[in-house]
Amino acid sequence: MYIPEVFRIDDVATIHEIVRANAFATLVSNIDGEPIATHLPLMLHEDILIGHVARANPHWRAFGTKALAIFAGPHGYVSPSWYETKPNVPTWNYVAVHAYGTPEILDDPDAVIEHLSGMVQVFDPSLGGSNPESTDREFLRKKISGIVAFRMPVKRWDAKAKLNQNKPEADRLAVRGRFEDSEDPLERQMAQMMPERL
C-alpha cells in the first residue's frame, strides 16, 4: 500500500483498534501463481490474527505461504466544493490496515472451538442465552470438520489514514464538518478520526 508519511499510522495500539473495529477483512494469498481472496472476519489476539474458511474453499491450500489481510476502515468521497480554498480536485478519504504474515492451520479441535466461541462472544454475545444449542461445545465439535481454522502471526503492519492531513486547517475542518453531519455512519466515524489540529 502506498503511504505518504503524512498519512502513515505507526502506533500499534491505534492499528489494533482499527482492526478490531473493522474485523471483516479480505485475506489475499497465491495458489499456483494466481491470486485468491476470501472475505472473512478475523479476530486479533495481540499480533496474531485468527480465522477460518470453509473446507470447500480452496484458499486454505495456500496456508503456509505468505498472505496479506486487508482491513478497510471508514471511508468517503470528498468534494472539492467543500474546501475553503479553491481550486481543488475530488478525492476519497479512508482508513486502511494491511497485515502481512503466513497463515498456519490450527489442527487442535479444542483450539478451533475456542476460536469459534470467541467469535460468538464478540459478535453475538447473547447467543448462548437465547440459543444455547448453537454454542454447545459438542455441537461445535461436530461442525468443525467443515472448516479450516488458522492463525496468522503478523510480521508487518502497514496502516494509513488519509484524512486531509495534507490540506490547510480550514479545509480539513470543513471536510470534517461535512462528515460529522453526514447520514452515513462510516463518514461520521471518519470525522471522529480527523484531528482538529495537526
Side-chain angles (χ1 to χ4, degrees):
M1 173 166 56
Y2 169 61
I3 311 177
E5 283 305 311
V6 70
F7 302 140
R8 183 177 298 279
I9 304 172
D10 287 318
D11 181 64
V12 175
T14 301
I15 292 170
H16 286 185
E17 184 179 319
I18 294 167
V19 167
R20 288 190 175 105
N22 301 278
F24 193 67
T26 303
L27 183 68
V28 182
S29 300
N30 191 293
I31 296 179
D32 299 328
E34 289 290 324
I36 184 170
T38 297
H39 305 274
L40 73 173
L42 292 174
M43 304 296 295
L44 177 64
H45 300 281
E46 297 181 4
D47 275 326
I48 298 173
L49 295 168
I50 302 177
H52 65 274
V53 298
R55 190 168 295 277
N57 180 343
H59 198 144
W60 68 268
R61 298 183 190 283
F63 294 170
T65 63
K66 291 179 182 177
L68 165 65
I70 302 170
F71 298 86
H75 59 90
Y77 173 75
V78 178
S79 171
S81 67
W82 300 353
Y83 292 128
E84 296 294 320
T85 60
K86 312 289 182 195
N88 259 298
V89 295
T91 191
W92 205 275
N93 277 5
Y94 63 93
V95 177
V97 173
H98 287 189
Y100 299 85
T102 302
E104 307 160 352
I105 293 175
L106 283 175
D107 287 323
D108 178 10
D110 289 327
V112 177
I113 291 171
E114 286 304 315
H115 156 63
L116 296 174
S117 297
M119 290 187 79
V120 168
Q121 286 303 311
V122 169
F123 299 115
D124 199 356
S126 63
L127 184 64
S130 64
N131 296 80
E133 68 283 356
S134 295
T135 59
D136 178 75
R137 290 182 74 84
E138 288 312 307
F139 170 74
L140 293 176
R141 194 173 299 277
K142 293 174 187 171
K143 292 293 183 184
I144 61 175
S145 62
I147 65 171
V148 177
F150 65 93
R151 64 191 299 274
M152 186 175 105
V154 178
K155 300 297 182 193
R156 185 178 100 224
W157 295 106
D158 281 344
K160 180 177 184 178
K162 181 182 172 293
L163 301 172
N164 294 114
Q165 300 95 315
N166 59 334
K167 295 290 185 183
E169 182 177 315
D171 289 346
R172 274 198 325 276
L173 294 178
V175 172
R176 181 180 172 183
R178 287 288 187 141
F179 286 147
E180 284 174 336
D181 294 338
S182 174
E183 294 182 9
D184 183 335
L186 289 177
E187 291 182 353
R188 290 197 303 273
Q189 286 176 29
M190 196 160 40
Q192 293 173 3
M193 297 182 76
M194 294 179 74
E196 286 189 32
R197 304 218 184 286
L198 295 180

